[in-house]
Amino acid sequence: MHDIRAIRETPAAWDAALSRRGLDAQSSSVLAIDEERRAAIHAAETAQAEQNKASKEVGKAKASGDEAEFERLRALVSAKKSEVAEMQARAKELDTQLNDLLMGLPNLPYDDVPEGADEDDNVEIRRWGTPATYDFAPKEHYQLEGVQKGMDFETAAKLSGARFVVLSGAVARIHRALAQFMLDTHTEENGLTETWTPVLVREEMMYGTGQLPKFGEDSYQTREGWWLVPTAEVTLTNIVNGLTVDEEYLPRRYVAHTQCFRSEAGSAGRDTAGMLRQHQFEKVEMVSITHPDKSREELDRMTTCAQGILEKLGLPYRTVVLCTGDMGFGARRTHDIEVWLPGQNTYREISSVSVCGDFQARRMNARFKPGAGGKPDYVHTLNGSGLAVGRCLIAVLENGQQADGSVKLPEALHPWLRGKTTLTADGDLV
């Protein structure tokens, strides 16, 4: 959501920021509705004052016996009452138009976000680890002999359709261990508060974080009106929905492990093999609620938290800043972390860490009271994967693969597997 006062004061700058995201100028449309809305509000207030004044004089006219004046004033009160109702209704209608227009416009990128049209224009800012070399042709995760027994797409298709998977045995155990490893690392080393939240949310919660109104087709809605969360960002961020907290409350740093649900409406034909892109998957999600002065610093801290998981697992990765054309709807700056997948011979996204500024806070009406006094201000929000569990499983399996179809598992994961170190070619943990 955008600050209408900022648009009034600097419309050209606002349009210029939107143009960096490939959008046409919007300020003239926004301000035209805003001006008409304010005029309707003013007209309603003026008519209300005139109605109140006439109402006071009606009694005087009646008492004085001036029947003509009494009737004139009574008619005036009735007319002004109708005018007030009409202008208030018009103001409400225009307010809805303005709100709908602003709700559908993306956040403004920070000035240091690189300009570009798509992922080819993203800028690499960090690279860690050296991809392993193999004396055999590396396979994708679902092709590994040790994995095939525990990764069943055929049964999942029977149960639910395409883009689902049934994990079992050792593969399911590794998947669960990865999530626990991530949670324990974030809570014990990174200072995040473990949180368990619903995966069904009210529609206003989806509006609060920007999944609605524009991206409804990307998510699932139940017959009762609840939405299935595409990520725990929705629930964790909305913890402060409608609240005004004390400045001392900030920052709040949350982490949650949840099921996530996405229709993948815009990805037809992409990544259909394996479990890289699923309708149902698990993520360990990080969310921070911060003071406005601390949000850019928090972006770097959260990025480091996500990178640290990959480093502990010994998985090579690179971090890129998304360009203006590839950045998500609610973000002002985004760092994508891409893990190396030898089976595809490329880096693939495993985490996206974004600072949203006050964009989501305005939609949620989430504020804080400055400790030194003064008017409440909007908090800043950030979110990021720490990490996508299924994609991390893919990376662990592919990077640890051996020529015989077995997989050597990262040493950091051994304690969560009760000392087991290897997924054998027969699909067992030893």
Side-chain angles (χ1 to χ4, degrees), residues 7 22 44 49 62-63 83-84 140 161 176 188 201 238 259 286 324 327 344 350 362 378 386-387 389 425-426:
I7 302 173
K62 183 70 172 176
E83 185 179 346
V84 169
E140 294 197 54
R176 172 165 58 90
E188 296 172 9
V201 295
N238 274 290
Q259 296 282 347
M286 306 178 292
T324 53
M327 198 165 58
Q344 293 191 14
I350 195 169
R362 288 181 178 276
Y378 290 102
L387 304 160
V389 182
D426 293 326

Side-chain angles (χ1 to χ4, degrees), residues 222-296:
T222 69
R223 287 174 299 180
E224 294 80 8
W226 286 311
W227 289 80
L228 287 163
V229 296
T231 161
E233 170 200 346
V234 177
T235 48
L236 295 176
T237 308
N238 274 290
I239 286 174
V240 293
N241 188 313
L243 299 181
T244 300
V245 302
D246 292 331
E247 184 175 349
E248 292 73 18
Y249 176 92
L250 306 175
R252 276 291 188 259
R253 295 168 175 149
Y254 301 107
V255 62
H257 168 218
T258 66
Q259 296 282 347
C260 305
F261 305 87
R262 291 183 184 168
S263 70
E264 298 291 349
S267 61
R270 294 177 55 199
D271 303 321
T272 55
M275 59 177 293
L276 192 69
R277 193 180 295 275
Q278 300 273 284
H279 292 308
Q280 176 184 335
F281 55 97
E282 294 184 18
K283 268 213 301 180
V284 172
E285 183 77 2
M286 306 178 292
V287 162
S288 289
I289 314 295
T290 74
H291 188 284
D293 295 342
K294 300 292 185 180
S295 59
R296 283 301 298 270

Side-chain angles (χ1 to χ4, degrees), residues 12 42 149 159 175 224-225 262 264 266 310 312 324 366:
H42 178 71
K149 185 169 74 173
L159 296 172
H175 185 262
E224 294 80 8
R262 291 183 184 168
E264 298 291 349
L310 293 175
K312 285 178 178 291
T324 53

Side-chain angles (χ1 to χ4, degrees), residues 56-71 73:
K56 292 178 181 179
E57 294 175 351
V58 165
K60 295 178 182 179
K62 183 70 172 176
S64 67
D66 190 340
E67 193 65 25
E69 180 65 5
F70 170 75
E71 291 298 334
L73 289 171

